[in-house]
């Protein structure tokens, strides 16, 4: 796999071809993704997109259907990376940051903002690094699909009972994930492998208002913090008897609902696991194993 660099900013410069920072392309024109990216041929090469500082108005989800030649694949993906005003890859905000601390300072990250009910990404072959996503109008998952997220911020400010920040990513590391509307479904849902991620909500007034709704066969969380949600901290919503959730060195605290809730499916064939976690200050129970969730470590 060859990796082709492409450079983008809020406005084009030089020739606007994206081949280097001097000739960077505009990432969006009237909300539409740049043809420098969407016409790139991913049949032989991957692309690393350097996105300069500033606020970008995104009018369509990053999705497979945008690509006009050959779309990104697992073998030849697209990598989105924040860069500085010289086109140099950003450094991480705080290499020692832990999710149990307040959110890291994200002022250097480029901001991809949506204001209508569209996803930020549905692209399975997309990797995101040092990017901030915001949405004031999304009634579902903002990032509904991604290959990986690292040092990203996803903030859904929309008040809707279906609002979600992160739907699914193969891997999410060192991320801040929030819902701040008075109503929302969950900050995180679906399949997830999370490491050192801060999952934070608000008390709110309607909707499930959960931190993490684990809905598929296997989910893992390490060094994660789930705090301040109006509903449960972590809740298993799948009815699959093979459902497993493994939490290690996590903090589940100050959620209005229970801390960790298993599903009530009988004849469980997999385990729910909590290892070296702190679960405190939640609602009526720290852990609710449910009477039928027989397997617990």
């Amino acid at each position: 796999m060859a990796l082709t660099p492409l450079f983008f900013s809020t406005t084009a410069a030089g020739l606007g071809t994206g081949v280097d920072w001097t000739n960077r392309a505009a990432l969006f024109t009237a909300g539409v993704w740049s043809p420098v990216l969407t016409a790139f041929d991913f049949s032989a090469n991957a692309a690393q997109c350097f996105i300069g500082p500033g606020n970008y108005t995104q009018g369509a989800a990053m999705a497979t259907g945008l690509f006009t030649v050959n779309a990104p694949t697992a073998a030849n993906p697209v990598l989105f990376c924040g860069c500085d005003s010289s086109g140099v890859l950003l450094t991480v905000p705080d290499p020692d940051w832990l999710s149990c601390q307040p959110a890291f300072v994200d002022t250097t990250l480029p901001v991809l903002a949506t204001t209508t009910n569209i996803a930020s990404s549905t692209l399975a072959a997309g990797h995101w690094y040092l990017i901030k996503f915001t949405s004031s109008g999304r009634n579902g998952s903002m990032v509904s699909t991604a290959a990986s997220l690292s040092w990203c911020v996803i903030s859904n400010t929309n008040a809707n009972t279906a609002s979600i920040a992160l739907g699914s990513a193969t891997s999410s590391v060192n991320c801040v994930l929030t819902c701040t509307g008075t109503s929302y479904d969950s900050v995180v849902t679906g399949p997830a492998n999370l490491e050192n991620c801060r999952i934070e909500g608000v008390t709110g007034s309607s909707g499930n208002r959960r931190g993490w709704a684990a809905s598929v066969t296997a989910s893992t969380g390490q060094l994660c913090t789930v705090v301040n949600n109006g509903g449960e901290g972590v809740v298993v919503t799948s009815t699959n008897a093979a459902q497993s959730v493994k939490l290690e060195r996590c903090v589940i605290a100050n959620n209005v609902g229970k801390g960790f809730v298993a599903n009530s499916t009988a004849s469980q064939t997999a385990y729910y696991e909590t290892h070296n976690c702190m679960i405190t200050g939640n609602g009526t129970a720290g852990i609710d194993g449910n009477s039928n969730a027989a397997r617990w470590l």
Side-chain angles (χ1 to χ4, degrees), residues 146-279:
S148 69
L149 297 159
S150 181
W151 292 103
C152 288
V153 175
I154 305 177
S155 176
N156 194 333
T157 63
N158 189 36
N160 185 280
T161 56
S163 292
I164 297 167
L166 174 61
S168 172
T170 303
S171 175
S172 301
V173 182
N174 301 327
C175 292
V176 174
L177 314 167
T178 65
C179 285
T180 59
T182 54
S183 58
Y184 61 95
D185 181 16
S186 59
V187 181
V188 177
T189 190
N193 295 297
L194 305 173
E195 183 175 346
N196 198 38
C197 289
R198 185 173 181 86
I199 301 168
E200 185 165 7
V202 295
T203 299
S205 58
S206 61
N208 290 321
R209 289 166 288 147
R210 294 162 167 164
W212 180 4
S215 62
V216 294
T217 304
S219 295
T220 61
Q222 298 182 23
L223 291 169
C224 292
T225 299
V226 186
V227 292
N228 302 332
N229 292 280
E232 301 94 339
V234 179
V235 58
V236 180
T237 58
S238 169
T239 58
N240 190 335
Q243 171 75 38
S244 67
V245 176
K246 182 177 181 179
L247 303 179
E248 295 185 84
R249 295 176 291 169
C250 292
V251 174
I252 306 172
N254 301 333
N255 300 286
V256 176
K258 298 171 183 177
F260 184 6
V261 183
N263 72 33
S264 59
T265 302
S267 305
Q268 287 291 125
T269 59
Y271 287 97
Y272 301 113
E273 302 182 41
T274 57
H275 301 279
N276 301 313
C277 294
M278 184 175 77
I279 304 175

Side-chain angles (χ1 to χ4, degrees), residues 14-154:
L15 298 176
T17 56
V19 296
D20 54 30
W21 184 250
T22 300
N23 297 290
R24 57 194 178 274
L27 185 61
F28 298 99
T29 301
V32 177
W33 289 89
S34 170
V36 171
L37 172 59
T38 59
F40 185 86
D41 185 359
F42 286 88
S43 62
N45 297 321
Q48 183 172 13
C49 299
F50 292 87
I51 301 174
N55 296 307
Y56 298 79
T57 301
Q58 180 179 347
M62 171 45 55
T64 300
L66 293 176
F67 295 89
T68 57
V69 183
N70 289 289
T73 64
N76 291 313
V78 57
L79 288 67
F80 297 94
C81 307
C83 70
D84 65 16
S85 57
S86 298
V88 177
L89 183 68
L90 292 174
T91 58
V92 300
D94 180 358
D96 297 320
W97 179 76
L98 294 174
S99 70
C100 57
Q101 298 173 306
F104 55 76
V105 177
D106 60 22
T107 53
T108 61
L109 306 187
V111 180
L112 304 189
T114 64
T115 59
T116 59
N117 187 20
I118 59 172
S120 302
S121 172
T122 63
L123 183 66
H127 298 263
W128 303 87
Y129 181 58
L130 293 164
I131 304 290
K132 181 175 181 178
F133 303 89
T134 67
S135 179
S136 59
R138 180 60 174 156
N139 297 340
S141 302
M142 288 176 57
V143 176
S144 63
T145 310
S148 69
L149 297 159
S150 181
W151 292 103
C152 288
V153 175
I154 305 177

Side-chain angles (χ1 to χ4, degrees), residues 279-295:
I279 304 175
T280 184
N282 300 290
T284 56
I287 295 177
D288 181 356
N290 270 312
S291 59
N292 289 323
R295 290 174 173 262

